[in-house]
């Protein structure tokens, strides 16, 4: 039996660390890493077999006027917020964080958290979802 590939969004303000983390998670699960700008602005279709999308929270907030934020949890099994200690998020980022938190799919991690900690959280979020649950986009 093949494991269900996760649908993960990695957000955080530190672009280099965020992209590297998203790339490692995508490689671990054997799914593509997609920049949020491609998915949200250029409307690149989401693969049905799982993905890791990475982007700044502000980008997710900016597209709210285009078609609304992606529905959760249909769009994401888990939204990983890489939060730097002592960093204060702006109003746009706070709206996005509250949106995903209210839907029960947001987890915060320090940027230096071991990949294994994120993998455990992602695997738990995917449990119970079936391969027949396709990603939806408004």
């Amino acid at each position: 039996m093949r494991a269900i590939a996760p649908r993960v969004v990695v957000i955080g303000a530190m672009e280099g660390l965020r992209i590297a983390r998203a790339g490692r998670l995508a490689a671990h699960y054997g799914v593509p890493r997609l920049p949020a700008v491609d998915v949200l602005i250029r409307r690149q279709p989401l693969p049905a077999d799982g993905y890791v999308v990475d982007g700044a929270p502000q980008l997710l907030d900016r597209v709210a006027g285009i078609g609304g934020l992606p529905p959760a949890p249909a769009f994401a099994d888990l939204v990983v917020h890489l939060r730097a200690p002592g960093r204060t998020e702006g109003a746009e980022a706070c709206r996005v964080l509250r949106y995903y938190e209210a839907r029960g799919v947001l987890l915060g991690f320090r940027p230096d958290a071991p990949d294994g900690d994120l993998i455990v959280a992602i695997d738990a979020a995917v449990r119970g979802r079936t391969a027949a649950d396709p990603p939806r986009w408004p």
Side-chain angles (χ1 to χ4, degrees):
M1 178 178 197
R2 194 176 130 218
I4 304 289
R7 302 179 299 221
V8 178
V9 176
V10 179
I11 58 176
M14 298 156 296
E15 184 177 22
L17 292 172
R18 181 185 69 238
I19 290 170
R21 177 61 59 99
R24 290 194 308 272
L25 291 173
H28 173 81
Y29 287 107
V31 298
R33 181 194 68 81
L34 305 169
V37 70
D38 288 350
V39 175
L40 299 172
I41 303 297
R42 297 183 184 121
R43 296 293 181 163
Q44 176 179 342
L46 292 169
D49 292 336
Y51 46 82
V52 176
V53 174
D54 70 87
Q58 297 84 342
L59 176 62
L60 296 177
D61 188 62
R62 276 186 227 132
V63 300
I66 294 173
L69 289 170
F75 172 72
D77 297 310
L78 188 66
V79 176
V80 173
H81 178 219
L82 300 176
R83 54 190 158 108
R87 179 174 166 75
T88 304
E89 299 289 356
E92 292 174 328
C94 287
R95 276 192 297 274
V96 170
L97 297 174
R98 283 192 307 268
Y99 175 86
Y100 286 115
E101 184 177 43
R103 283 148 183 83
V105 296
L106 178 71
L107 280 182
F109 290 91
R110 289 178 58 108
D112 60 353
D115 286 345
D117 290 357
L118 278 74
I119 290 167
V120 167
I122 292 166
D123 289 347
V126 172
R127 249 182 247 119
R129 181 171 65 80
T130 69
D133 298 334
R136 293 187 303 228
W137 184 252

